[in-house]
Amino acid sequence: MNAIDTIRQRAPDLQPRIAVVLGSGWGTLTDHLTNATQIPYPELAGFPQAGVAGHSGSLWLGHLGAQPVAVLSGRQHGYETGVIDSMAVPLRVLQDLGCHTLVQTNAAGSLNPDMPPQSLMLLSDHINLPQRSPLVGRSGSERFVNMVDAYDPTLRAHARRVAQTHGVTLFEGVYAWAFGPQFETPAEIRMLRLLGADAVGMSTVPETILARHLGLRVLALSFITNLGAGMSTEHLSHAHTLQQAQLGSVAASRLLADIVTKMDLPS
Ligand code: HPA
């Protein structure tokens, strides 16, 4: 059975309008869902097998407030298999189900000493450092996607307003995609700072490109788990990322739930 039929069968009354991708530190968003249906990725044809500790790999369908949503808990990263278009099928399926907006979340390292661990950063733009595209092999003129304002300015203004009502400082900046899985060298971090990046992480950019190709509006938020390599004495590891992400996860998810709940839908 194809994934759309499976989803319609398991959650027949829900037409999601907003898709949310949960990265490290954002998993507790699913606690805010009401009338939730959880479908593990292995039951959905064409969905990836999310494999990294901290990424469970399920599609959730339910409501955040009155907003019908689809939540992708777990993504496959380029560094797991070398494949960077593994979210192509899930995003296409969610668009076919009715989603026109993609909200992405991730964990990232900060390149700005004034944006410490536990900060939240709205992506204003990104740098595709590996210069790889999930659209390689596609045909048609739509593959030449315009990436100006890839992170929707109206949605960003909305997120800033909601953060203000929560009394949460929301930084805004440029996210650099590093392929990973190794962390950066201190020299690479110095280079990224010179290039104008504010944060660095190993995800999000391929999905933003895929989503813009589909015409979805995109909003993305980073949870800052550490300062970039060489900027502090802390020893970077995946365990450290997950532990830091865990610490702030409840407040971050509460804000995210409210941002999605209060989002206007395009007609
Ligand atoms: N670098 C790359 N990815 C990351 C980092 C980092 O410092 N922290 C969390 N994800």
Side-chain angles (χ1 to χ4, degrees), residues 107-110 175 178 182-184 189 200-202 223 225-229 236 241:
S110 171
Y175 174 94
Q182 75 286 349
F183 285 102
E184 299 69 42
I189 292 295
V200 56
M202 303 177 193
F223 185 93
T225 52
N226 57 278
L227 289 169
L236 300 185
T241 300

Side-chain angles (χ1 to χ4, degrees), residues 88-263:
V89 169
L91 292 180
R92 183 61 206 262
V93 164
L94 294 181
Q95 182 179 44
D96 287 348
L97 281 171
C99 291
H100 40 62
T101 300
L102 175 68
V103 179
Q104 296 212 62
T105 60
N106 60 45
S110 171
L111 304 174
N112 172 359
D114 296 328
M115 181 168 70
Q118 303 295 319
S119 300
L120 297 178
M121 188 189 93
L122 202 52
L123 274 66
S124 59
D125 203 347
H126 72 224
I127 295 175
N128 179 348
L129 208 59
Q131 281 294 292
R132 289 191 54 186
S133 173
L135 303 178
V136 168
R138 303 293 182 101
S139 55
S141 56
E142 304 81 34
R143 72 188 131 157
F144 301 105
V145 181
N146 186 322
M147 294 297 290
V148 176
D149 286 338
Y151 300 92
D152 190 273
T154 307
L155 292 179
R156 280 154 51 200
H158 164 72
R160 284 194 297 270
R161 277 193 301 273
V162 176
Q164 209 165 28
T165 66
H166 282 239
V168 170
T169 303
L170 194 52
F171 291 86
E172 192 158 4
V174 175
Y175 174 94
W177 174 34
F179 202 80
Q182 75 286 349
F183 285 102
E184 299 69 42
T185 63
E188 287 166 345
I189 292 295
R190 288 195 296 276
M191 174 190 76
L192 291 172
R193 294 177 70 177
L194 284 174
L195 291 179
D198 299 287
V200 56
M202 303 177 193
S203 68
T204 305
V205 168
E207 293 92 331
T208 296
I209 295 169
L210 287 166
R212 293 306 299 141
H213 182 244
L214 292 170
L216 301 173
R217 303 187 303 174
V218 179
L219 179 74
L221 289 153
S222 291
F223 185 93
I224 300 297
T225 52
N226 57 278
L227 289 169
M231 292 174 65
S232 85
T233 53
E234 64 191 348
H235 177 80
L236 300 185
S237 67
H238 189 56
H240 179 267
T241 300
L242 294 181
Q243 181 222 347
Q244 283 294 313
Q246 192 74 34
L247 281 178
S249 123
V250 170
S253 290
R254 195 183 305 126
L255 174 64
L256 177 61
D258 210 26
I259 289 172
V260 174
T261 299
K262 294 180 173 149
M263 214 172 246

Side-chain angles (χ1 to χ4, degrees), residues 23-43:
S24 306
W26 299 88
T28 55
L29 181 81
T30 52
D31 295 349
H32 296 265
L33 287 171
T34 51
N35 301 320
T37 303
Q38 181 185 8
I39 313 175
Y41 288 170
E43 294 173 28

